[in-house]
Amino acid sequence: MSEQIKHIKLPEGSIEKQTTTLNLGPTHPATHGVMQNILEMDGERVVSAEQTIGYIHRAFEKLAERRPLYQITPLTDRLNYCSSPLNNMGWHMTCEKLLKIQTPKRVDYLRVIIMELARIADHLICNSIVGVDSGALSVFLYVMQYRELIYEIYEEICGSRLTTNIGRIGGFERNFNNTAWTKLEKFLAEYPAVLREFEKLLQRNRIFMERTMGVGAISAERALNYGFTGPNLRAAGVDYDVRVHSPYSSYEDFSFEVPVGSTGDCYDRFLVRNQEMWQSMEIIKQAYQKIQEFKGADAEVYHADVPEYYLPEKKDVYTKMEALIWHFKIVMGETDIPKGEVYHSVEAANGELGFYLISDGGRTPYRLHFRRPCFIYYQAYSEITAGSMLSDAIITLSSLNLIAGELDA
Amino acid sequence: MELTNEYIKQRLADQFGDKVVNFEEPYGMFTFEAPKEDNLKVLQFLFDDEELQFRFLTDLCAVHYPDQEGRELAIVYHLHNLVKNVRIRFKVFTNIQEPDIFTATNIFSTANWMERETYDFFGVNFIGHPNLKRILNVDEMDYFPMRKEFPLEDQTRIDKDDEMFGRGGSII
């Protein structure tokens, strides 16, 4: 008997193992990422699951100890790569908190737009993958074109699509151009109909409901004890949302609802994510409206005035001595960051993404720790799948929204 | 009643006397320290108390300070009272020769993997942990990579004759 299954209690008098060991992953189409589950199966029922993670561990925390702040942003891209802008913004805000930088309101609103778009893109993937795993492939392909549109908006702002490296400490690298706004308007106009149809296809679909209701359920108490955050916690009935509890980036200026579920099963998680997409749409609309209210010089503001950390414009670098000095100092990472210890968290698409940054006054962080939501809630997987069917365990896996990049850091 | 930092400090001082020390408020977050033998008592007190109710373990990680003799490793707990929405930070220091500390897994299920991660990278030995083994690194690894004695490679080194990676001997 192998090491892993020693904890399985065999019935009295049995002479051999009566369960089957099944390796789910690390490269399996249903795991949607590189992670392994060693399942002990009794027929088609899961007796226990043991997770092996770390297949794509890239030592981000160690790497961060040798990098100036702005070079850490690309590392955060690769945590939850389905919604990189959320991680980027979370990191910028952590730096701003440490450096005591106050961002202008317009920057906050622009950030809110990007963060909510990223949330929609992430929830869209997660929910449609739940559809795929329950046998409904068409919804996944159908909504992909709107994730594509979101990616095109990113592209207009930062030039890249998946690992975005969007924004800078203090604001954005450039103002949103007209194409970005046009595409955002297109998204706002067209997406509600798509989301409605997406819901129509799944929400009251008998097959989908049978496959997801009561599957992978967790109680509110256990979810809290397991450190669940984000939609997974809210599906269990706890209305904890970082955007409401500790507002950042002027979220207090927006009115939105925090949808909660009651049973904490896959179906509730699906519903909560869908409702959050509607709420995100509302937030984007409000932010867009607020941005249009800025007039004159205020309407052109897209970064805070922090020459120590925000790269000057290229034409100034060539013509002005001061700009050249700042440019050099920033690029070479020669600015000492103040001594301090700060924890900042944002509501990322799958939970509370926290950054614990300790600086000893040098040029790089002394220690940086990422609180990665899916690393924390994945450990509940074996508890919530014990006793379920194999196919239910697979739906639970995708419905928890596990992203291998975030799991392994 | 509002849960202010002064009030938490008062309650802790009443309960543990001189044992809880180093009260700070970096960037508004109440931070304090306790001896490593008492980490569970403090966590349990914060968990059980009807007013404090720090029942959500947000984060657990370690920090290595090689220069602080006798207290090289810090284990940092971030706790959250979700009802009153107050966060605090709790630190425990241990020496690096015997980095033994009691596990919090009986209070918080979520501490399981967080402690495994901390063990994996810093070698903190959590006494009583149900399954203390490496989680992100390979099992065969025989060192703790996040400790400061393992610096990352110097970006400017030129002694490597490694033309494939653009650091060829042509510099010399």
Side-chain angles (χ1 to χ4, degrees), chain A residues 4 50-55 57 59 61-66 97-100 222-229 233 238 240 242 244-246 338-343 345 352 354 356 358 365-372 374-379 383 407-409, chain B residues 24 26-27 29 31 47 55-67 76 78 80-85 87 89 91 105-114 116-118 121-122 131 133 135-137 144-156:
Chain A
Q4 279 125 2
E50 181 171 334
Q51 304 97 312
T52 315
I53 63 167
Y55 285 96
H57 174 58
E61 293 177 7
K62 190 80 185 172
L63 287 174
E65 289 176 9
R66 277 297 289 269
K97 197 167 170 182
L98 180 79
L99 305 167
K100 300 199 169 80
R222 289 304 292 153
L224 283 172
N225 205 260
Y226 263 122
F228 273 47
T229 41
L233 178 66
V238 184
Y240 173 57
V242 188
V244 179
H245 276 70
S246 4
K339 208 170 163 172
E341 185 173 356
V342 58
Y343 176 83
S345 58
E352 176 179 340
Y356 178 40
I358 301 178
Y366 185 76
R367 169 91 169 98
L368 176 63
H369 181 75
F370 302 110
R371 182 210 193 265
R372 311 179 310 277
C374 70
F375 173 78
I376 286 164
Y377 61 65
Y378 187 34
Q379 49 188 320
E383 186 173 312
L407 209 54
D408 295 348
Chain B
E24 287 175 62
Y27 295 86
M29 195 189 279
T31 305
F47 188 94
R55 293 184 184 162
F56 190 81
L57 180 64
T58 306
D59 196 15
L60 189 166
C61 66
V63 191
H64 185 203
Y65 297 100
D67 300 335
V76 187
H78 281 87
H80 197 165
N81 175 338
L82 287 174
V83 182
K84 289 174 182 159
N85 192 26
R87 292 175 194 269
R89 185 184 292 136
K91 289 183 182 177
T105 40
N106 285 333
I107 308 175
F108 304 104
S109 305
T110 181
N112 190 326
W113 280 20
M114 295 183 185
R116 277 179 69 185
E117 192 191 17
T118 310
F121 289 101
F122 290 90
N131 185 22
K133 57 179 190 182
I135 186 161
L136 291 179
N137 290 312
F144 301 109
M146 281 293 283
R147 289 186 178 177
K148 292 281 178 188
E149 62 254 37
F150 304 108
L152 284 166
E153 189 183 85
D154 182 3
Q155 300 287 307
T156 56

Side-chain angles (χ1 to χ4, degrees), chain A residues 10 78 107 110 132-133 147 178 184 192 205 212 236 266 276 318 333 350 354 368 384 391 404:
Chain A
L10 295 174
R78 285 145 182 87
V107 171
L110 292 175
V132 170
D133 285 346
R147 187 182 77 147
N178 284 335
L184 183 74
N205 180 326
T212 52
C266 293
E276 278 187 16
Y318 290 132
N350 47 6
L368 176 63
I384 63 181
S391 48

Side-chain angles (χ1 to χ4, degrees), chain A residues 94-223:
Chain A
T94 312
C95 298
E96 285 156 13
K97 197 167 170 182
L98 180 79
L99 305 167
K100 300 199 169 80
I101 296 170
Q102 183 71 40
T103 47
K105 278 279 173 190
R106 187 167 185 270
V107 171
D108 286 354
Y109 298 152
L110 292 175
R111 282 185 171 173
V112 165
I113 290 182
I114 287 300
M115 287 192 285
E116 294 307 322
L117 282 175
R119 194 180 319 282
I120 291 175
D122 193 284
H123 286 353
L124 203 54
I125 291 287
C126 179
N127 269 355
S128 53
I129 289 284
V130 174
V132 170
D133 285 346
S134 58
L137 192 73
S138 43
V139 283
F140 175 71
L141 298 174
Y142 178 51
V143 297
M144 246 344 87
Q145 53 183 318
Y146 285 88
R147 187 182 77 147
E148 180 65 24
L149 184 54
I150 295 176
Y151 280 8
E152 282 175 22
I153 299 173
Y154 296 167
E155 213 173 353
E156 289 303 326
I157 298 157
C158 70
S160 48
R161 297 154 55 81
L162 192 72
T163 49
T164 48
N165 191 13
I166 197 170
R168 298 287 178 261
I169 296 171
F172 280 90
E173 57 271 48
R174 60 176 75 81
N175 205 348
F176 288 23
N177 59 21
N178 284 335
T179 323
W181 291 120
T182 320
K183 287 194 167 156
L184 183 74
E185 276 163 15
K186 179 172 149 69
F187 180 79
L188 287 174
E190 291 177 11
Y191 185 63
V194 176
L195 186 54
R196 253 194 303 278
E197 196 155 4
F198 176 72
E199 283 182 336
K200 225 180 200 169
L201 282 162
L202 293 176
Q203 203 144 302
R204 302 302 291 171
N205 180 326
R206 184 67 185 271
I207 303 166
F208 184 76
M209 287 165 78
E210 297 272 333
R211 288 295 304 276
T212 52
M213 285 172 103
V215 171
I218 188 161
S219 69
E221 197 191 345
R222 289 304 292 153

Side-chain angles (χ1 to χ4, degrees), chain A residues 230-238 259-265 268-270 272:
Chain A
N232 294 338
L233 178 66
R234 289 192 284 274
V238 184
V260 287
S262 56
T263 56
D265 59 7
D268 270 18
R269 285 196 278 270
F270 174 84
V272 165

Side-chain angles (χ1 to χ4, degrees), chain A residues 56-103:
Chain A
I56 57 165
H57 174 58
R58 292 145 298 172
F60 284 163
E61 293 177 7
K62 190 80 185 172
L63 287 174
E65 289 176 9
R66 277 297 289 269
R67 293 182 175 215
L69 297 179
Y70 82 97
Q71 288 183 6
I72 296 170
T73 322
L75 300 181
T76 63
D77 284 342
R78 285 145 182 87
L79 290 172
N80 182 348
Y81 40 71
C82 289
S83 51
S84 306
L86 277 162
N87 313 340
N88 297 156
M89 296 301 161
W91 169 243
H92 296 320
M93 282 182 252
T94 312
C95 298
E96 285 156 13
K97 197 167 170 182
L98 180 79
L99 305 167
K100 300 199 169 80
I101 296 170
Q102 183 71 40
T103 47

